[in-house]
Amino acid sequence: MKQLFKQLYLTNFFFYCLIGIIGCFVLSYFFPMFYNASWYIFYVLMIFTIIDILMLFTAKSPMEGVRETPEKLSNGDENEIIIRIKNKYTFPVYARIIDEIPFQFQVRNFNVFRRIAAQSKDVYKYFLRPTERGEYFFGSLNIFASTPLRLVSKRFSFANSQSVPTYPSYVQLRKYDLMAFSNSLSQYGLKKIRRIGHTMEFEQIKEYVQGDDLRTINWKATAKRDQLMVNQFQDEKSQNVYMIIDKGRVMKMPFSGLSLLDYAINATLVLSNVILKKHDKAGTIAFSKKVENRVVAEKRQSQMQLILENLYNINTDFYESDFSRLYVDIKNKINQRSLLILYTNFETLDGLHRQLPYLKGIAKNHLLVIVFFNNTELNELIHKKANNVQEIYDKVIAEKFAFEKRLIVNELRKYGIYSVLTQPENLTLDVINKYLEIKARGIL
């Protein structure tokens, strides 16, 4: 009996009927002829309510519910959650579904209504977009089932305390996977790059076909075969590529729910996959007050899983980033010339000048690419029409900051340091394009 009262809920329709009956009793005060009729209606409501309760509670295990989640959620992406319900009643059921979503999403109005036919199954899908890495805990999957009378409902609870970890965006790995096999990405905005010199590895000698570079003709092989033969080259392989993530407080700035740090982590994961598919060695470093979260550049089969687990544990510590420690660490531990892709953010030219001596020191022995971000909110302010003096002032300040970003690019170029100034949502595509451009031009 105690269990019955825990599962029994009166519906809104029951209370509407009850209010109507009370209205009839009030009306009978003025018209006594309605008094007996009001009692008859009340008895009919009670009888139907009892019948409704018996229909719902006499069957054993009449409902089944399952919540299916991915093994891990992809940070910053839409993740599909599937709810499967099986109705074992011999009549159609009106189900109200309330799923207890993790508190990080702050979804307080999850309320889905479904009609499920007798002896049948139903599937409902919804999507969640996490913006933080870590553990996400789902509560119970609650289903309130009602008969066609819809006077009462019975509560069923399934899938208690389900935990799902949220990892850096592995969904983007599939999206950009094919980029690793082609240098022609014009459909994604990368123009064709003219190769400079022949800093390529020899692959084979083949017959000349129209369009081959005449400078690659192998005259000895041509004399032996009595036909034109050319040397074929391929991109150099096994080059070290380190992605360095600044996890200081400048990377905590949020855009579209994700911090710059999470954008950098997602881009690092995707780029690591591309690097390994291009037969180069991928490694990661994170730093702020000290250098940590290091994964040595390798191209073994387990490298992607190692990088994924390492990126999962990177969090900002809100310190001012120490570029001098980064310079010393790179000088001592990375001996081979490598491509270093540094994710950070400079808002002003003065901020760059404070770190420039260390960046120049790193760029002496390595190919350094600085990746930093456009403030998209400032862009909206710049293009917004000003209606008063205060808005004009705000617009001028925003344009000043945007102009300083372009000055930073020019300042880095003066010292032979490559840069990528990008919007957070375009980060992944832009860094892949920059890596493939460097490979195509053979400048590493």
Side-chain angles (χ1 to χ4, degrees), residues 251 260 342-347 352 369-375 404-410 412 418-424 427 431:
M251 296 292 283
L260 294 181
L342 172 59
Y343 299 92
T344 186
N345 198 32
F346 297 113
E347 289 294 338
L352 171 66
V369 178
I370 306 292
V371 182
F372 60 109
F373 302 88
N374 259 324
N375 192 326
E404 286 214 28
K405 291 280 188 179
R406 296 192 293 272
L407 288 180
I408 291 172
V409 174
N410 293 333
L412 291 171
Y418 292 84
S419 63
V420 176
L421 177 59
T422 181
Q423 296 181 1
L427 173 63
V431 293

Side-chain angles (χ1 to χ4, degrees), residues 25-225:
F25 277 109
V26 173
L27 189 63
S28 67
Y29 180 79
F30 302 99
F31 303 96
M33 66 187 72
F34 290 111
Y35 182 74
N36 291 332
S38 299
W39 278 109
Y40 291 141
I41 296 173
F42 175 75
Y43 293 143
V44 169
L45 176 63
M46 291 299 103
I47 291 171
F48 275 110
T49 302
I50 294 171
I51 293 172
D52 209 2
I53 293 173
L54 293 175
M55 292 174 65
L56 283 173
F57 286 85
T58 52
K60 292 184 177 180
S61 301
M63 296 286 292
E64 291 181 3
V66 177
R67 180 203 302 118
E68 295 180 2
T69 64
E71 183 179 346
K72 51 183 178 286
L73 301 178
S74 178
N75 193 25
D77 298 309
E78 296 289 345
N79 296 266
E80 184 180 71
I81 311 297
I82 302 174
I83 295 176
R84 300 185 186 276
I85 303 174
K86 184 176 182 180
N87 176 21
K88 296 182 179 179
Y89 283 113
T90 55
F91 50 83
V93 164
Y94 293 88
R96 178 188 177 196
I97 306 168
I98 300 178
D99 197 4
E100 296 178 3
I101 296 173
F103 70 90
Q104 290 95 332
F105 297 103
Q106 292 297 298
V107 177
R108 304 176 187 275
N109 59 345
F110 188 96
N111 208 357
V112 179
F113 294 91
R114 310 285 287 185
R115 183 186 184 279
I116 309 172
Q119 301 288 330
S120 64
K121 299 178 181 179
D122 188 35
V123 177
Y124 176 75
K125 299 179 182 179
Y126 67 95
F127 295 86
L128 295 176
R129 181 180 180 265
T131 56
E132 296 178 1
R133 284 163 289 117
E135 293 287 334
Y136 284 65
F137 294 92
F138 287 84
S140 299
L141 172 62
N142 300 295
I143 301 174
F144 294 84
S146 300
T147 70
L149 295 175
R150 305 180 75 172
L151 293 172
V152 298
S153 62
K154 182 179 179 181
R155 176 185 174 181
F156 299 89
S157 292
F158 306 98
N160 294 325
S161 301
Q162 185 177 4
S163 174
V164 183
T166 298
Y167 276 76
S169 179
Y170 60 86
V171 170
Q172 294 187 32
L173 288 178
R174 307 185 190 105
K175 181 178 178 181
Y176 297 112
D177 203 26
L178 291 177
M179 291 185 180
F181 300 100
S182 173
N183 287 327
S184 177
L185 294 175
S186 57
Q187 66 270 33
Y188 293 103
L190 178 65
K191 62 183 179 182
K192 293 183 178 179
I193 303 299
R194 182 174 62 88
R195 297 185 185 274
I196 302 174
H198 289 283
T199 58
M200 313 283 284
E201 290 183 351
F202 175 78
E203 184 177 16
Q204 64 177 349
I205 299 174
K206 69 179 190 71
E207 295 181 4
Y208 173 84
V209 295
Q210 188 174 359
D212 284 338
D213 191 347
L214 295 176
R215 294 174 296 176
T216 62
I217 293 177
N218 187 317
W219 295 107
K220 289 185 179 180
T222 297
K224 289 180 180 179
R225 296 286 299 272

Side-chain angles (χ1 to χ4, degrees), residues 275-290:
I275 290 168
L276 294 173
K277 292 289 179 67
K278 299 292 285 185
H279 305 288
D280 283 333
K281 300 177 181 178
T284 62
I285 300 172
F287 79 102
S288 61
K289 193 175 182 180
K290 58 182 180 179

Side-chain angles (χ1 to χ4, degrees), residues 178-353:
L178 291 177
M179 291 185 180
F181 300 100
S182 173
N183 287 327
S184 177
L185 294 175
S186 57
Q187 66 270 33
Y188 293 103
L190 178 65
K191 62 183 179 182
K192 293 183 178 179
I193 303 299
R194 182 174 62 88
R195 297 185 185 274
I196 302 174
H198 289 283
T199 58
M200 313 283 284
E201 290 183 351
F202 175 78
E203 184 177 16
Q204 64 177 349
I205 299 174
K206 69 179 190 71
E207 295 181 4
Y208 173 84
V209 295
Q210 188 174 359
D212 284 338
D213 191 347
L214 295 176
R215 294 174 296 176
T216 62
I217 293 177
N218 187 317
W219 295 107
K220 289 185 179 180
T222 297
K224 289 180 180 179
R225 296 286 299 272
D226 198 25
Q227 60 179 344
L228 284 176
M229 304 293 291
V230 295
N231 294 329
Q232 186 174 9
F233 298 89
Q234 62 181 356
D235 290 340
E236 292 185 25
K237 298 179 180 179
S238 299
Q239 295 175 307
N240 288 343
V241 183
Y242 280 93
M243 288 139 289
I244 305 171
I245 300 174
D246 180 354
K247 60 177 186 176
R249 60 172 174 256
V250 296
M251 296 292 283
K252 194 59 178 175
M253 186 181 297
F255 288 93
S256 300
L258 283 179
S259 67
L260 294 181
L261 178 65
D262 282 312
Y263 279 109
I265 288 172
N266 290 345
T268 295
L269 182 64
V270 177
L271 182 58
S272 299
N273 185 53
V274 174
I275 290 168
L276 294 173
K277 292 289 179 67
K278 299 292 285 185
H279 305 288
D280 283 333
K281 300 177 181 178
T284 62
I285 300 172
F287 79 102
S288 61
K289 193 175 182 180
K290 58 182 180 179
V291 180
E292 50 194 356
N293 300 101
R294 175 190 298 278
V295 176
V296 178
E298 296 287 350
K299 59 176 182 179
R300 55 195 171 196
Q301 291 183 350
S302 61
Q303 190 72 356
M304 271 305 299
Q305 184 62 31
L306 187 62
I307 290 174
L308 179 62
E309 295 295 335
N310 185 270
L311 294 176
Y312 176 76
N313 295 315
I314 293 178
N315 291 297
T316 182
D317 50 19
F318 297 99
Y319 287 113
E320 182 74 25
S321 300
D322 191 343
F323 282 77
S324 63
R325 283 183 178 269
L326 177 65
Y327 167 71
V328 172
D329 187 88
I330 290 174
K331 189 173 181 63
N332 292 336
K333 296 184 178 180
I334 305 180
N335 300 320
Q336 183 181 348
R337 177 174 170 81
S338 306
L339 169 60
L340 306 180
I341 300 175
L342 172 59
Y343 299 92
T344 186
N345 198 32
F346 297 113
E347 289 294 338
T348 64
L349 204 56
D350 289 337
L352 171 66
H353 284 153

